[in-house]
Amino acid sequence: MVIGNYRTQLYDKQREEYQPATPGLGMFVEVKDPEDKLILARQYGSEGRFTFTSHTPGEHQICLHSNSTKFSLFAGGMLRVHLDIQVGEHANDYAEIAAKDKLSELQLRVRQLVEQVEQIQKEQNYQRWREERFRQTSESTNQRVLWWSILQTLILVAIGVWQMRHLKSFFEAKKLV
Amino acid sequence: MGCTASRSASTLLLLLLLLLRAERPQGAELTFELPDNAKQCFHEEVEQGVKFSLDYQVITGGHYDVDCYVEDPLGNAIYRETKKQYDSFTHRAEVKGVYQFCFSNEFSTFSHKTVYFDFQVGDEPPILPDMGNRVTALTQMESACVTIHEALRTVIDSQTHYRLRGAQDPARAEHLNHGPGREPKT
């Protein structure tokens, strides 16, 4: 699970400081999974929180861009973006878990250890998946190289044979052989 | 690990200053795409006397190297390295204010890079706010939990580093076999 929080502040040129909050300034958040499929595409305000859970292992792409056209008026404007992305075990809200499952402090500590171990397991599964995929890719590349070299050899041999026969018929025609 | 690409608005002199979360003084790790001839800066507010650390690593792109520098709020460069593949830097903040760390790919003309960094400020906060205000000593069970937690954190950290180090070869093999694939959005 991935939780992202962001907050934006617009630079006020007159007062030369960042405004505490800018209503009307929105950010568009897009998340793509490793197969380039859009799994989240939403617009949020100047402050927002987005969550997604990955279903396939690999590189996910998180993009934030401003939807505001007001920027075109402010040449040299600056926008301060506070960004916080928590992944895996760090995304857990332990206060909420403690309240929901009514855990004592010690139980909550043990719960955190369990979450950490689960994250380690997930990472190990990912390593196994990646290694297998790497192996498949390498095998595929190897196959292609093999077929290419066989094909190239056959073409070279065929051209050589054709050249010899062509030259032979040429010399015979010229009555040199 | 997610990958973040920030797209600045189409107008000319617009700068996006990225400030890493100011809610919990803990840390942030991010993997972002650094286009060629570009520089990307991040900022963080640090209190005086607090120790912070920055680990970074280049995952894909070119010769896997990047320039990095860290500046304190007064503009002094407290760390500067060129063409490093990975490094780790810790510093105790002498001045309170906004610290800036930048990654530069300005020496490269065509290879865009993916850079991972992990910025930790201060100590890890307790999972419940009350835990920080203890007056009595920890029980044996609690101490054991703390020890195991630290050990597991080390395991997770080394898994992350192993995953990043081992990302180069599969990425190259994919690129060779399946072509460029996902093109970066400019």
Side-chain angles (χ1 to χ4, degrees):
Chain A
M1 185 171 66
V2 177
I3 295 179
N5 287 297
Y6 76 88
R7 191 162 61 95
T8 56
Q9 287 177 302
L10 190 60
Y11 190 67
D12 190 338
K13 285 183 89 171
Q14 284 106 15
R15 286 188 294 177
E16 287 195 2
E17 61 177 16
Y18 284 93
Q19 295 170 2
T22 319
L25 183 72
M27 292 288 260
F28 203 76
V29 178
E30 281 179 349
V31 179
K32 283 195 179 162
D33 74 355
E35 280 128 39
D36 259 343
K37 202 171 64 135
L38 216 56
I39 56 177
L40 181 75
R42 268 192 62 181
Q43 186 168 314
Y44 297 83
S46 67
E47 231 175 274
R49 183 190 158 98
F50 55 91
T51 309
F52 67 92
T53 303
S54 56
H55 297 286
T56 27
E59 185 186 271
H60 291 67
Q61 192 178 36
I62 304 170
C63 290
L64 284 88
H65 58 266
S66 156
N67 72 335
S68 172
T69 49
K70 283 193 279 197
F71 279 121
S72 50
L73 304 172
F74 292 118
M78 291 200 290
L79 180 71
R80 180 179 276 187
V81 180
H82 299 251
L83 182 64
D84 176 23
I85 297 179
Q86 300 292 324
V87 182
E89 181 262 327
H90 296 288
N92 286 331
D93 184 352
Y94 286 101
E96 195 186 308
I97 293 172
K100 192 167 74 95
D101 297 341
K102 296 186 180 46
L103 301 174
S104 73
E105 193 181 296
L106 185 63
Q107 286 173 326
L108 192 66
R109 283 183 189 270
V110 173
R111 179 63 175 270
Q112 190 189 26
L113 298 179
V114 169
E115 296 284 329
Q116 279 186 298
V117 169
E118 278 178 9
Q119 186 170 339
I120 290 170
Q121 276 180 312
K122 284 177 188 162
E123 182 77 32
Q124 286 177 326
N125 286 338
Y126 170 70
Q127 290 290 351
R128 191 182 299 137
W129 172 88
R130 187 170 76 176
E131 194 193 350
E132 189 183 321
R133 206 181 135 104
F134 185 25
R135 179 80 196 194
Q136 282 172 351
T137 310
S138 303
E139 294 272 351
S140 165
T141 309
N142 196 28
Q143 279 287 316
R144 288 183 183 187
V145 168
L146 182 66
W147 282 118
W148 177 257
S149 42
I150 287 174
L151 187 68
Q152 199 164 25
T153 308
L154 287 175
I155 290 175
L156 282 174
V157 165
I159 288 180
V161 165
W162 178 83
Q163 272 186 325
M164 296 304 288
R165 287 169 68 176
H166 184 79
L167 278 174
K168 191 174 170 192
S169 62
F170 172 73
F171 281 130
E172 279 172 355
K174 296 289 180 190
K175 295 199 172 45
L176 296 169
V177 171
Chain B
M1 188 63 221
C3 177
T4 306
S6 58
R7 189 189 95 182
S8 46
S10 48
T11 44
L12 330 131
L13 303 166
L14 202 68
L15 279 173
L16 274 170
L17 295 181
L18 230 62
L19 212 92
L20 305 170
R21 33 91 260 111
E23 284 101 45
R24 282 177 295 175
Q26 188 185 331
E29 51 180 352
L30 206 63
T31 310
F32 67 97
E33 189 145 341
L34 189 59
D36 46 293
N37 271 323
K39 185 171 76 164
Q40 180 80 353
C41 290
F42 298 91
H43 306 76
E44 186 57 67
E45 177 98 34
V46 184
E47 299 287 324
Q48 190 184 18
V50 172
K51 199 166 75 144
F52 65 84
S53 71
L54 172 69
D55 296 325
Y56 63 93
Q57 188 167 356
V58 184
I59 304 178
T60 64
H63 292 287
Y64 305 100
D65 50 4
V66 74
D67 296 345
C68 173
Y69 66 87
V70 181
E71 277 181 6
D72 69 1
L74 306 167
N76 307 318
I78 48 181
Y79 171 85
R80 185 183 292 271
E81 285 285 349
T82 50
K83 298 204 177 172
K84 278 272 207 180
Q85 206 232 326
Y86 64 89
D87 204 3
S88 182
F89 166 69
T90 41
H91 182 80
R92 185 170 290 277
E94 279 143 30
V95 181
K96 173 187 143 96
V98 175
Y99 282 73
Q100 172 179 272
F101 54 100
C102 299
F103 298 95
S104 165
N105 197 22
E106 281 154 341
F107 56 85
S108 174
T109 42
F110 58 85
S111 50
H112 59 270
K113 310 216 162 106
T114 327
V115 181
Y116 159 89
F117 71 84
D118 181 13
F119 190 76
Q120 296 288 330
V121 179
D123 299 315
E124 199 186 341
I127 47 177
L128 281 181
D130 307 332
M131 285 181 186
N133 307 331
R134 285 189 71 108
V135 283
T136 56
L138 296 174
T139 67
Q140 224 173 4
M141 279 291 284
E142 284 168 345
S143 303
C145 282
V146 169
T147 313
I148 296 173
H149 173 71
E150 294 292 314
L152 290 178
R153 209 151 59 103
T154 313
V155 172
I156 292 174
D157 281 346
S158 63
Q159 275 189 327
T160 303
H161 284 263
Y162 176 67
R163 170 168 38 95
L164 296 174
R165 280 236 181 90
Q168 291 175 15
D169 295 330
R172 253 214 188 123
E174 283 285 325
H175 191 97
L176 189 64
N177 201 22
H178 294 127
R182 200 211 299 269
E183 284 302 330
K185 280 193 271 196
T186 44

